[in-house]
mmCIF file of all heavy atoms in Angstrom:
data_model
loop_
_atom_site.group_PDB
_atom_site.id
_atom_site.type_symbol
_atom_site.label_atom_id
_atom_site.label_comp_id
_atom_site.label_asym_id
_atom_site.label_seq_id
_atom_site.Cartn_x
_atom_site.Cartn_y
_atom_site.Cartn_z
ATOM 1 N N ASP B 351 134.253 -0.295 -40.634
ATOM 2 C CA ASP B 351 133.745 0.548 -39.538
ATOM 3 C C ASP B 351 133.737 -0.301 -38.268
ATOM 4 O O ASP B 351 132.716 -0.858 -37.863
ATOM 5 C CB ASP B 351 132.338 1.065 -39.876
ATOM 6 C CG ASP B 351 131.898 2.147 -38.898
ATOM 7 O OD1 ASP B 351 132.484 2.226 -37.786
ATOM 8 O OD2 ASP B 351 130.972 2.908 -39.228
ATOM 9 N N ILE B 352 134.901 -0.383 -37.663
ATOM 10 C CA ILE B 352 135.111 -1.295 -36.536
ATOM 11 C C ILE B 352 134.247 -0.934 -35.310
ATOM 12 O O ILE B 352 133.549 -1.795 -34.772
ATOM 13 C CB ILE B 352 136.621 -1.382 -36.191
ATOM 14 C CG1 ILE B 352 137.369 -2.044 -37.369
ATOM 15 C CG2 ILE B 352 136.850 -2.166 -34.894
ATOM 16 C CD1 ILE B 352 138.881 -1.897 -37.340
ATOM 17 N N PRO B 353 134.233 0.351 -34.866
ATOM 18 C CA PRO B 353 133.429 0.659 -33.676
ATOM 19 C C PRO B 353 131.947 0.334 -33.878
ATOM 20 O O PRO B 353 131.287 -0.132 -32.951
ATOM 21 C CB PRO B 353 133.623 2.176 -33.503
ATOM 22 C CG PRO B 353 134.875 2.491 -34.242
ATOM 23 C CD PRO B 353 134.959 1.520 -35.374
ATOM 24 N N LEU B 354 131.441 0.539 -35.110
ATOM 25 C CA LEU B 354 130.029 0.272 -35.364
ATOM 26 C C LEU B 354 129.722 -1.218 -35.251
ATOM 27 O O LEU B 354 128.788 -1.624 -34.556
ATOM 28 C CB LEU B 354 129.618 0.803 -36.748
ATOM 29 C CG LEU B 354 128.173 0.514 -37.155
ATOM 30 C CD1 LEU B 354 127.181 1.149 -36.161
ATOM 31 C CD2 LEU B 354 127.885 1.025 -38.575
ATOM 32 N N PHE B 355 130.534 -2.066 -35.901
ATOM 33 C CA PHE B 355 130.186 -3.499 -35.836
ATOM 34 C C PHE B 355 130.386 -4.054 -34.433
ATOM 35 O O PHE B 355 129.656 -4.941 -33.991
ATOM 36 C CB PHE B 355 130.899 -4.301 -36.951
ATOM 37 C CG PHE B 355 132.163 -5.024 -36.586
ATOM 38 C CD1 PHE B 355 132.119 -6.256 -35.922
ATOM 39 C CD2 PHE B 355 133.414 -4.513 -36.927
ATOM 40 C CE1 PHE B 355 133.299 -6.943 -35.608
ATOM 41 C CE2 PHE B 355 134.584 -5.190 -36.614
ATOM 42 C CZ PHE B 355 134.522 -6.407 -35.949
ATOM 43 N N ILE B 356 131.329 -3.462 -33.696
ATOM 44 C CA ILE B 356 131.530 -3.922 -32.320
ATOM 45 C C ILE B 356 130.353 -3.489 -31.434
ATOM 46 O O ILE B 356 129.857 -4.260 -30.620
ATOM 47 C CB ILE B 356 132.887 -3.426 -31.769
ATOM 48 C CG1 ILE B 356 134.029 -4.155 -32.500
ATOM 49 C CG2 ILE B 356 132.981 -3.630 -30.254
ATOM 50 C CD1 ILE B 356 135.415 -3.827 -32.014
ATOM 51 N N ARG B 357 129.861 -2.264 -31.662
ATOM 52 C CA ARG B 357 128.695 -1.809 -30.902
ATOM 53 C C ARG B 357 127.502 -2.728 -31.197
ATOM 54 O O ARG B 357 126.734 -3.096 -30.309
ATOM 55 C CB ARG B 357 128.354 -0.363 -31.276
ATOM 56 C CG ARG B 357 127.404 0.312 -30.287
ATOM 57 C CD ARG B 357 126.933 1.696 -30.776
ATOM 58 N NE ARG B 357 128.008 2.476 -31.364
ATOM 59 C CZ ARG B 357 127.880 3.199 -32.475
ATOM 60 N NH1 ARG B 357 126.732 3.242 -33.127
ATOM 61 N NH2 ARG B 357 128.900 3.887 -32.942
ATOM 62 N N GLN B 358 127.354 -3.120 -32.460
ATOM 63 C CA GLN B 358 126.240 -3.996 -32.828
ATOM 64 C C GLN B 358 126.356 -5.374 -32.173
ATOM 65 O O GLN B 358 125.355 -5.984 -31.821
ATOM 66 C CB GLN B 358 126.157 -4.097 -34.360
ATOM 67 C CG GLN B 358 125.663 -2.790 -34.975
ATOM 68 C CD GLN B 358 125.968 -2.647 -36.459
ATOM 69 O OE1 GLN B 358 126.945 -3.224 -36.960
ATOM 70 N NE2 GLN B 358 125.152 -1.881 -37.166
ATOM 71 N N ILE B 359 127.607 -5.832 -31.983
ATOM 72 C CA ILE B 359 127.783 -7.096 -31.242
ATOM 73 C C ILE B 359 127.362 -6.892 -29.783
ATOM 74 O O ILE B 359 126.647 -7.707 -29.203
ATOM 75 C CB ILE B 359 129.248 -7.590 -31.293
ATOM 76 C CG1 ILE B 359 129.666 -7.908 -32.725
ATOM 77 C CG2 ILE B 359 129.426 -8.842 -30.408
ATOM 78 C CD1 ILE B 359 131.140 -8.288 -32.872
ATOM 79 N N ALA B 360 127.810 -5.766 -29.210
ATOM 80 C CA ALA B 360 127.479 -5.487 -27.807
ATOM 81 C C ALA B 360 125.961 -5.438 -27.623
ATOM 82 O O ALA B 360 125.437 -5.866 -26.602
ATOM 83 C CB ALA B 360 128.129 -4.177 -27.375
ATOM 84 N N GLU B 361 125.279 -4.947 -28.648
ATOM 85 C CA GLU B 361 123.810 -4.875 -28.599
ATOM 86 C C GLU B 361 123.169 -6.195 -29.017
ATOM 87 O O GLU B 361 121.952 -6.290 -29.132
ATOM 88 C CB GLU B 361 123.314 -3.745 -29.516
ATOM 89 C CG GLU B 361 123.665 -2.355 -29.001
ATOM 90 C CD GLU B 361 123.595 -1.281 -30.104
ATOM 91 O OE1 GLU B 361 123.276 -1.619 -31.263
ATOM 92 O OE2 GLU B 361 123.895 -0.111 -29.788
ATOM 93 N N GLU B 362 124.007 -7.172 -29.290
ATOM 94 C CA GLU B 362 123.585 -8.517 -29.717
ATOM 95 C C GLU B 362 122.760 -8.499 -31.007
ATOM 96 O O GLU B 362 121.933 -9.367 -31.252
ATOM 97 C CB GLU B 362 122.831 -9.241 -28.579
ATOM 98 C CG GLU B 362 123.716 -9.360 -27.346
ATOM 99 C CD GLU B 362 123.215 -10.335 -26.301
ATOM 100 O OE1 GLU B 362 122.576 -11.325 -26.701
ATOM 101 O OE2 GLU B 362 123.493 -10.110 -25.121
#
Side-chain angles (χ1 to χ4, degrees):
Chain B
D351 191 340
I352 294 166
L354 177 60
F355 98 80
I356 291 183
R357 195 187 318 138
Q358 289 161 333
I359 297 175
E361 291 161 0
E362 301 194 31

